Amino acid sequence: MDIRKIYTDCGALLEGHFLLSSGNHSNFYLQSAKVLEEPKIAEKLAQALAQEIQKAKLGAETICSPALGGILAGYELARALGVRFIFTERVQGAMVLRRGFSVKEGEKILICEDIITTGGSAMEAKTCVESLGAKVVGFASLANRGICERGLKPTHKGACKLPNLPFFALADFNFEMYPPETCPLCQHSKPIKPGSRGN
């Protein structure tokens, strides 16, 4: 499956000057909402991701996504795996479980995002559900910005915030990223933030 082509065909691979959720700048941005607005494509991607996860035999009982960006990807993945779906959301800056959602002691949870850059939001969701007694067994995303290592036994380094738990993604998008203080794109334009925490 050519994930880059799917993103390009859906108008989800944007080129310009962007401010990422991590605070870094990039000349490329992945807008997964443009891919996930087509249910048949979302289903196809989730099924492909589910196949990789099933091979690993992690025994995940529930998929949890951080709102807002991860909700559609997580829901479709849960549907493909035949498991429950919940999501966390920010309240006064902290990720919490609301809307009647709960977890059981020792419940095996897989955290799913649409895109993982450094894994910051995924880690907030992990902290939230584990504080309630659940056990996170891995992470998944449709696309990976290439900072975190994919696989069953990753060894994360540098800016990646994920622990060394299994991480599944359909493709790596290794775009150049720049700290704002040294971004060469800033010489010609101001960054825009098209993601869920921006406009």
Side-chain angles (χ1 to χ4, degrees), residues 106-120:
E107 184 174 354
K108 293 181 178 179
I109 293 182
L110 185 75
I111 305 292
C112 180
E113 280 267 42
D114 56 344
I115 298 163
I116 283 189
T117 301
T118 61

Side-chain angles (χ1 to χ4, degrees), residues 46 62-63 73-86:
T62 300
I63 301 298
Y75 180 82
E76 283 295 331
L77 179 60
R79 195 158 71 95
L81 289 170
V83 300
R84 186 170 76 109
F85 172 73
I86 59 176

Side-chain angles (χ1 to χ4, degrees), residues 61-197:
E61 302 166 80
T62 300
I63 301 298
C64 177
S65 293
L68 181 67
I71 288 179
L72 291 176
Y75 180 82
E76 283 295 331
L77 179 60
R79 195 158 71 95
L81 289 170
V83 300
R84 186 170 76 109
F85 172 73
I86 59 176
F87 61 87
T88 60
E89 53 193 308
R90 280 191 184 80
V91 176
Q92 296 178 341
M95 200 69 86
V96 298
L97 206 58
R98 299 175 62 203
R99 304 176 192 273
F101 292 142
S102 63
V103 297
K104 297 177 295 194
E105 188 70 31
E107 184 174 354
K108 293 181 178 179
I109 293 182
L110 185 75
I111 305 292
C112 180
E113 280 267 42
D114 56 344
I115 298 163
I116 283 189
T117 301
T118 61
S121 295
M123 282 303 294
E124 288 180 69
K126 176 183 183 291
T127 299
C128 173
V129 296
E130 287 191 335
S131 73
L132 300 171
K135 179 184 179 183
V136 171
V137 295
F139 298 87
S141 65
L142 299 180
N144 174 33
R145 286 294 304 243
I147 291 174
C148 298
E149 181 183 330
R150 289 192 283 156
L152 281 175
K153 296 181 179 179
T155 305
H156 298 304
K157 299 173 184 174
C160 181
K161 296 176 182 177
L162 298 182
N164 295 332
L165 289 173
F167 171 37
F168 307 89
L170 294 175
D172 294 322
F173 288 81
N174 295 304
F175 302 137
E176 198 71 47
M177 286 184 282
Y178 311 99
E181 59 275 10
T182 59
C183 174
L185 305 171
C186 287
Q187 296 175 14
H188 310 289
S189 62
K190 290 185 177 180
I192 61 170
K193 185 165 179 53
S196 59
R197 292 191 220 168

Side-chain angles (χ1 to χ4, degrees), residues 48-58 60 77 81 110 140 168:
L49 189 55
Q51 286 176 5
E52 293 302 310
I53 293 165
Q54 285 167 334
K55 289 176 193 172
K57 297 184 172 69
L58 300 178
L77 179 60
L81 289 170
L110 185 75
F168 307 89

